[in-house]
């Protein structure tokens, strides 16, 4: 029996993957249970042809990933209030199993504290899951579901009450770390996040550094993330650890210059409202295996 959890889906696109987008939309339409209403946001680009019944929004400029997704949220009413939860899916992803939506409905219905579900991402050809797609430090076993402290931006479901309570994704981030910012705010408000290995999104294996702005955005937004969310004593610890990890990874000189440029930008530009998490949340993050110093 279909559980009374209303689902919607938000997909943002640059209009350059029409075949992949159509396959994703078909996989959403094929999900068991009640129909999932879908909104496709053209992020500064026209939306390719989509099936009948799929709503579209075309933005005159690229607002970035969080900004585009926020527009999609509002297409479902203020903070997405027309539905109980929203799926956020990359436009080159695909739901290979037809029960993913039902698993989401059951998970949210069974656990009133569950605010966010992050899916397991697999390569469609090899079935492999990259370590960086398992949102915890102990990432060797991607088949183990668990509570986690962040989620994957293009393969997740968020209860809309979370958005109404803690606010949307930070649009000023444009790209990188916007999920962790929302996750920390949700955890601080008492919501839980689950990584579910049985909820799968197929997505081609890629490197995040393929984006030209990757190193600058990662560094800038890391500083913004700390400035916005961490208690003051933890900010230098958190950023110091990430500076050390970056140097140990020995990036190329151009990448390192871009990273330091973003790091400086993170300190010299506005980061949005500061709402430091409670120390109780710091302890919760630590118990979940991800203390907010790494």
């Amino acid at each position: 029996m279909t559980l009374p959890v209303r689902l919607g889906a938000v997909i943002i696109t640059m209009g350059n993957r029409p075949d992949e987008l159509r396959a994703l939309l078909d996989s959403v339409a094929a999900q068991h249970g009640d129909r999932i209403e879908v909104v496709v946001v053209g992020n500064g680009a026209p939306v390719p042809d989509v099936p009948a019944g799929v709503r579209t929004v075309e933005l005159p400029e690229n607002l970035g990933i969080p900004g585009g997704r926020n527009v999609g949220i509002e297409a479902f009413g203020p903070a997405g209030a027309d539905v109980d939860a929203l799926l956020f899916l990359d436009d080159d992803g695909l739901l290979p199993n037809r029960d993913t939506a039902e698993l989401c409905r059951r998970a949210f219905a069974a656990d009133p504290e569950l605010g966010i579900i992050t899916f397991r991402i697999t390569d469609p050809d090899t079935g492999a899951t990259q370590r960086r797609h398992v949102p915890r430090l102990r990432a060797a076993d991607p088949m183990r579901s668990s509570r986690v402290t962040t989620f994957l931006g293009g393969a997740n479901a968020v209860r809309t009450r979370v958005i109404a309570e803690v606010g949307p994704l930070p649009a000023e981030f444009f790209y990188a770390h916007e999920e962790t910012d929302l996750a920390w705010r949700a955890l601080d408000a008492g919501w839980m996040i689950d990584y579910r290995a049985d909820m799968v999104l197929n997505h081609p294996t890629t490197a995040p550094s393929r984006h030209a702005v990757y190193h600058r955005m990662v560094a800038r937004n890391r500083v913004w993330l700390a400035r916005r969310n961490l208690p003051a004593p933890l900010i230098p610890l958190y950023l110091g650890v990430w500076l050390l990890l970056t140097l140990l990874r020995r990036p190329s000189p151009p990448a390192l210059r871009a990273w330091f440029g973003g790091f400086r930008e993170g300190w010299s530009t506005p980061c949005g409202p500061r709402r430091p998490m409670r120390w109780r949340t710091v302890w919760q993050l630590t118990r979940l295996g991800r203390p907010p110093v790494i």
Side-chain angles (χ1 to χ4, degrees):
M1 180 180 296
T2 300
L3 295 165
V5 174
R6 301 166 298 166
L7 291 181
V10 173
I11 301 165
I12 61 173
T13 183
M14 298 295 292
N16 55 350
R17 294 191 281 239
D19 294 340
E20 292 89 339
L21 174 62
R22 185 60 181 252
L24 171 63
L25 293 171
D26 289 345
S27 74
V28 173
Q31 292 296 299
H32 295 154
D34 293 340
R35 177 179 175 271
I36 301 171
E37 185 176 354
V38 180
V39 171
V40 177
V41 178
N43 212 356
V47 176
D49 290 339
V50 296
V54 173
R55 290 192 288 156
T56 62
V57 179
E58 293 187 354
L59 302 176
E61 61 178 312
N62 183 356
L63 300 183
I65 293 173
R69 286 183 177 142
N70 287 343
V71 170
I73 292 169
E74 293 302 307
F76 289 92
D82 294 346
V83 293
D84 299 306
L86 284 169
L87 307 176
F88 295 93
L89 306 170
D90 276 350
D91 68 342
D92 55 346
L94 182 116
L95 297 173
N97 302 324
R98 299 183 65 183
D99 64 347
T100 301
E102 280 292 82
L103 290 173
C104 284
R105 293 186 181 100
R106 293 171 190 168
F108 283 129
D111 186 353
E113 293 185 345
L114 180 60
I116 302 172
I117 301 169
T118 184
F119 304 163
R120 178 167 60 94
I121 295 179
T122 64
D123 183 272
D125 297 322
T126 67
T129 297
Q130 294 179 274
R131 287 183 65 92
R132 69 184 182 89
H133 285 153
V134 182
R136 57 177 179 247
L137 291 180
R138 295 184 292 274
D141 182 8
M143 298 304 295
R144 179 172 66 88
S145 300
S146 68
R147 294 282 202 205
V148 290
T149 62
T150 189
F151 63 100
L152 306 172
N156 66 80
V158 179
R159 200 189 292 265
T160 52
R161 282 177 54 201
V162 173
I163 299 165
E165 186 172 339
V166 308
L169 294 157
E172 56 267 46
F173 279 38
F174 196 85
Y175 164 79
H177 302 319
E178 67 271 7
E179 303 92 351
T180 300
D181 186 90
L182 178 60
W184 283 1
R185 286 183 280 131
L187 289 165
D188 197 50
W191 295 100
M192 297 289 106
I193 306 170
D194 277 0
Y195 167 74
R196 287 286 297 263
D198 57 339
M199 301 182 191
V200 178
L201 182 88
N202 281 352
H203 189 281
T205 297
T206 56
S209 55
R210 71 191 186 278
H211 299 292
V213 298
Y214 171 78
H215 297 286
R216 180 175 70 86
M217 292 292 193
V218 161
R220 184 197 69 180
N221 292 358
R222 183 81 68 184
V223 177
W224 281 359
L225 180 68
R227 289 174 58 197
R228 286 164 59 98
N229 294 288
L230 290 182
L234 294 185
I235 294 174
L237 286 173
Y238 178 80
L239 296 176
V241 167
W242 278 104
L243 172 60
L244 178 61
L245 287 173
T246 299
L247 294 174
L248 290 174
R249 289 168 178 167
R250 302 178 67 182
S252 68
L256 194 59
R257 283 195 297 271
W259 193 94
F260 274 111
F263 193 80
R264 287 191 297 269
E265 186 181 349
W267 286 108
S268 62
T269 55
C271 63
R274 173 166 165 76
R275 299 187 182 95
M277 67 178 64
R278 295 168 293 178
W279 286 102
R280 183 174 70 182
T281 306
V282 173
W283 174 237
Q284 181 184 10
L285 289 165
T286 303
R287 286 192 298 108
L288 289 171
R290 194 86 189 220
V293 294
I294 188 169

